[in-house]
Amino acid sequence: MSIVSKIVSLLRSGALEQAEKEYLRLGLDKDQSSEDVIALGGRILKAKALEHKGADRQRLALMAAEKYAAAHTRFGGTFSGINTAALYLVGSQPDKAQAAARGVQKSLKSKSPKPGADAYYHMATAAEAAFILDDRAQANTMLADALPLDPHNHEAHASTLKQLEMLSETTGAPIDWLTPFRPPKSLHFAGHLFALGDSDLALEGASVYGLEKAIDDELKAGGYGAAYGALAAGSDILIAERLLAHGIDLHVVQPCPDQLFEDISIKPFGDEWQARFEACLASAASVRTISRDTSVCDDLTTAFASETAMGLAVLRSENLATTAEQLLIWDGTEGRGVSGTARDAVLWRASGRYQRTIPYAFKRNITRTDRNSHNPSRSLKAMLFADVKGFGKLNEKQVPIFVEKVLTPLASHFGGPTEKPAHMNTWGDGLFLVFDTVTDAANAAVKLQATFQEIVPAAIGLPEGLALRVGGHYGPVHSLTDPFMNRNGVFGREVTTAARIEPVTAPGSIFVSEPFACALALTNPEGLHCEPLREAVPDKDGNPMTLFSLRKTNRLS
């Protein structure tokens, strides 16, 4: 891997400060050998700019523009050229922005792009240049011409849309003109259970047909590309079958292993559902099993899986610069249970996103009565593990300095009654913090990382290279009395999962699990963003983990 690739990898992992330190340590800020190396400085500064607003964003954007301009002047690349123009605009230098955009337009006329992605980026760059030159009609036309050149490259389309959103935010222009160019929407689906056949729990054939027709109508109007949900008997499978019929990618999110799930949510409702369940699984684009535990699949596990499915729909929409919606077959009755369609409806509505409902009229709702009852000691918690890379190399004289100058500032964030975690433990440089919500945990992680970044180790007698790593996870745990400490402790398989994330976290970063990222995305907190890592990260046993980088940001969602 090249030096530039390593630093880009740090940037993608969210380790912005570490990337910048490495960039400066290696003297790349003075390296003029390639366009990629020079532009790398602009890329770092652009990432910093997007974490700020107002004058700070403008200042950092101008610094980034100068870096990209140096790369463009020396090598003439359109990538560095269009970023020069865009960042001059963000930096409130419209004349320089337009001059750079005109240069990009001239350069594009002399190029003959290859079919596919190259042709798409060529035309999308032209659209961006036209927008900067305030020719909105031309920008619209060129963006419309760009999409068919690489029609299924939704990530590339999203990259362009996010750049144009940033420019629209800067100029105060409305962004609704981008709506026709957005990738297909994401969907979360759920609904009430029901049986088929002669059972007392059965829904009559005409009612089933009516539901299928209503689902088809909603899917035709929705413009969806991917959908997330479980496959319980009744509404779930009915929706999943229609999704597949419409060519929409089905992503199954099951609460527990298939056999246990089938025993609880398929078999009690009629033999016909079994074959339909298996057919949907076989045609699914992906299948996730949230809990591998074969001993329990209670309401809390089901709620956890539903929350994850909703979050996956939101995360996909954020990654592709589109929107997420929910489709429910629901009787409209507000429920008070730990899980269920009513709870899904309330959670989604609280996020402020669009919700479609198909009325469900049956003499009574059906619950999975043979499922394990919810254990009151179990609840959903957000967990953070953190440590400091390099702590093990400190000498005895440096340990008291570390406690006073590093741990004390970090601990200061948890002094007030509203800031204290539900559970906390420390050992040496290690921290274990448990919170009732992912938003609280995410804010705590960001504060810890920001506080550590303000510490200059050399200035307090500690070695360079110290870096904080924070890993986060979310899931059901047991809150029980620790017999050794004689105080409340947190136990369960999800604690083990949480502990495995911090050791593989890039120094200076916050890595979180997929369930953590899903729950955070669903709550839609301002200024916090989870970016998926490009590749799965193996844990200490070599098992792949899907992780996200958590950062504070002011980027448009």
Side-chain angles (χ1 to χ4, degrees), residues 81-325:
I82 197 62
N83 273 286
T84 299
L87 288 159
Y88 271 136
L89 190 63
V90 176
S92 295
Q93 296 286 334
D95 292 341
K96 288 185 176 181
Q98 294 196 347
R102 282 190 287 269
V104 169
Q105 285 184 330
K106 183 178 179 180
S107 177
L108 289 171
K109 290 178 182 178
S110 65
K111 295 183 182 296
S112 300
K114 298 177 183 178
D118 192 35
Y120 167 77
Y121 280 116
H122 181 94
M123 192 63 70
T125 300
E128 192 175 329
F131 184 91
I132 293 169
L133 289 167
D134 208 25
D135 190 343
R136 306 297 163 80
Q138 184 75 345
N140 193 306
T141 299
M142 288 181 168
L143 195 54
D145 291 341
L147 295 184
L149 298 174
D150 197 9
H152 303 297
N153 194 349
H154 296 315
E155 290 194 1
H157 305 166
S159 178
T160 300
L161 292 169
K162 289 174 183 178
Q163 185 87 335
L164 288 168
E165 285 177 351
M166 178 185 73
L167 297 176
S168 296
E169 179 188 35
T170 298
T171 60
I175 63 171
D176 54 358
W177 72 281
L178 296 172
T179 300
F181 307 117
R182 297 193 182 279
K185 292 181 283 190
S186 301
L187 182 71
H188 169 257
F189 65 93
H192 294 302
L193 289 145
F194 60 82
L196 296 174
D198 299 328
S199 166
D200 291 340
L201 306 179
L203 200 61
E204 59 189 27
S207 296
V208 174
Y209 175 79
L211 288 176
E212 289 177 328
K213 179 65 170 62
I215 294 167
D216 282 337
D217 290 343
E218 294 290 353
L219 296 182
K220 288 175 185 176
Y224 305 112
Y228 299 81
L231 288 179
S235 301
D236 288 356
I237 290 179
L238 220 61
I239 295 173
E241 290 173 336
R242 304 320 303 154
L243 288 166
L244 292 169
H246 285 264
I248 298 168
D249 288 344
L250 171 64
H251 297 275
V252 177
V253 185
Q254 298 287 74
C256 54
D258 287 351
Q259 188 60 56
L260 180 58
F261 183 78
E262 291 170 35
D263 289 343
I264 295 171
S265 302
I266 302 293
K267 293 177 181 178
F269 301 97
D271 294 339
E272 183 179 335
W273 288 121
Q274 184 67 36
R276 295 169 73 168
F277 168 76
E278 292 173 358
C280 288
L281 276 184
S283 299
S286 71
V287 179
R288 288 173 173 82
T289 301
I290 299 304
S291 171
R292 296 290 176 183
D293 195 320
T294 58
S295 68
V296 62
C297 189
D298 60 7
D299 284 336
L300 192 67
T301 309
T302 302
F304 181 38
S306 292
E307 206 166 326
T308 301
M310 286 185 265
L312 285 168
V314 174
L315 285 171
R316 179 189 180 276
S317 72
E318 290 180 347
N319 188 44
L320 296 184
T322 185
T323 55
E325 296 181 357

Side-chain angles (χ1 to χ4, degrees), residues 9 13 28 50 63 72 77 178-179 201 211 228 238 271 292 313 320 338 347 357 392 399 402 442 515 520 529 531:
S9 180
S13 72
L28 297 182
L50 291 174
M63 293 169 65
H72 181 66
L178 296 172
T179 300
L201 306 179
L211 288 176
Y228 299 81
L238 220 61
D271 294 339
R292 296 290 176 183
L320 296 184
V338 174
L347 281 178
T357 59
V399 171
F402 180 86
L520 189 67
H529 179 72
E531 189 76 20

Side-chain angles (χ1 to χ4, degrees), residues 210-518:
L211 288 176
E212 289 177 328
K213 179 65 170 62
I215 294 167
D216 282 337
D217 290 343
E218 294 290 353
L219 296 182
K220 288 175 185 176
Y224 305 112
Y228 299 81
L231 288 179
S235 301
D236 288 356
I237 290 179
L238 220 61
I239 295 173
E241 290 173 336
R242 304 320 303 154
L243 288 166
L244 292 169
H246 285 264
I248 298 168
D249 288 344
L250 171 64
H251 297 275
V252 177
V253 185
Q254 298 287 74
C256 54
D258 287 351
Q259 188 60 56
L260 180 58
F261 183 78
E262 291 170 35
D263 289 343
I264 295 171
S265 302
I266 302 293
K267 293 177 181 178
F269 301 97
D271 294 339
E272 183 179 335
W273 288 121
Q274 184 67 36
R276 295 169 73 168
F277 168 76
E278 292 173 358
C280 288
L281 276 184
S283 299
S286 71
V287 179
R288 288 173 173 82
T289 301
I290 299 304
S291 171
R292 296 290 176 183
D293 195 320
T294 58
S295 68
V296 62
C297 189
D298 60 7
D299 284 336
L300 192 67
T301 309
T302 302
F304 181 38
S306 292
E307 206 166 326
T308 301
M310 286 185 265
L312 285 168
V314 174
L315 285 171
R316 179 189 180 276
S317 72
E318 290 180 347
N319 188 44
L320 296 184
T322 185
T323 55
E325 296 181 357
Q326 185 180 60
L327 175 61
L328 300 177
I329 295 177
W330 181 36
D331 64 3
T333 301
E334 299 288 347
R336 297 182 180 180
V338 174
S339 68
T341 306
R343 180 182 183 272
D344 292 350
V346 170
L347 281 178
W348 191 269
R349 198 181 305 136
S351 78
R353 296 179 176 89
Y354 189 75
Q355 187 178 77
R356 298 172 181 267
T357 59
I358 296 172
Y360 176 82
F362 191 49
K363 57 186 177 182
R364 62 189 178 91
N365 288 335
I366 301 165
T367 58
R368 288 163 281 196
T369 54
D370 15 351
R371 167 169 65 197
N372 291 311
S373 61
H374 172 54
N375 186 326
S377 77
R378 292 177 78 231
S379 60
L380 291 170
K381 299 290 185 184
M383 295 159 278
L384 300 178
F385 277 93
D387 81 341
V388 177
K389 180 179 178 294
F391 172 78
K393 296 180 180 180
L394 298 184
N395 60 44
E396 288 301 313
K397 289 184 178 180
Q398 291 169 330
V399 171
I401 298 173
F402 180 86
V403 173
E404 179 185 356
K405 301 294 186 181
V406 177
L407 291 186
T408 300
L410 296 180
S412 67
H413 292 299
F414 308 109
T418 60
E419 298 171 320
K420 284 187 176 180
H423 174 78
M424 180 165 45
N425 199 5
T426 66
W427 55 95
D429 65 322
L431 303 175
F432 177 47
L433 308 172
V434 182
F435 297 86
D436 291 327
T437 71
V438 286
T439 302
D440 288 343
N443 280 318
V446 169
K447 287 178 181 179
L448 287 171
Q449 198 61 265
T451 299
F452 194 92
Q453 295 297 338
E454 293 174 357
I455 298 170
V456 181
I460 58 175
L462 297 178
E464 291 286 357
L466 295 179
L468 184 68
R469 300 181 294 197
V470 183
H473 181 51
Y474 175 69
V477 297
H478 288 274
S479 296
L480 300 168
T481 300
D482 184 330
F484 283 93
M485 305 295 291
N486 198 29
R487 61 184 173 91
N488 189 57
V490 178
F491 303 87
R493 297 178 64 158
E494 302 302 332
V495 179
T496 304
T497 299
R500 293 187 172 198
I501 297 171
E502 173 266 312
V504 299
T505 299
S509 301
I510 306 166
F511 283 4
V512 299
S513 66
E514 187 172 74
F516 188 111
C518 287

Side-chain angles (χ1 to χ4, degrees), residues 500-501 503-505 511 533-540 542-548:
R500 293 187 172 198
I501 297 171
V504 299
T505 299
F511 283 4
L533 301 187
R534 297 249 170 154
E535 297 178 356
V537 178
D539 65 15
K540 65 179 182 179
N543 301 311
M545 293 189 292
T546 300
L547 299 178
F548 292 71

Side-chain angles (χ1 to χ4, degrees), residues 4 7-8 11-12 16 23 28-29 31-32 34-50 59-91 96-97 100-101 104 128 132 159 163 166-167 555:
V4 171
I7 295 177
V8 169
L11 282 173
R12 287 173 176 165
L16 176 53
Y23 170 79
L28 297 182
D29 55 323
D31 190 333
Q32 302 289 305
S34 74
E35 183 177 19
D36 287 344
V37 170
I38 302 172
L40 183 57
R43 189 169 184 166
I44 291 170
L45 288 163
K46 179 181 179 181
K48 292 178 71 174
L50 291 174
R59 175 180 56 81
L60 290 164
L62 280 178
M63 293 169 65
E66 294 295 339
K67 285 287 187 181
Y68 278 116
H72 181 66
T73 299
R74 188 172 178 85
F75 294 97
T78 53
F79 170 76
S80 57
I82 197 62
N83 273 286
T84 299
L87 288 159
Y88 271 136
L89 190 63
V90 176
K96 288 185 176 181
V104 169
E128 192 175 329
I132 293 169
S159 178
Q163 185 87 335
M166 178 185 73
L167 297 176
R555 188 191 303 272

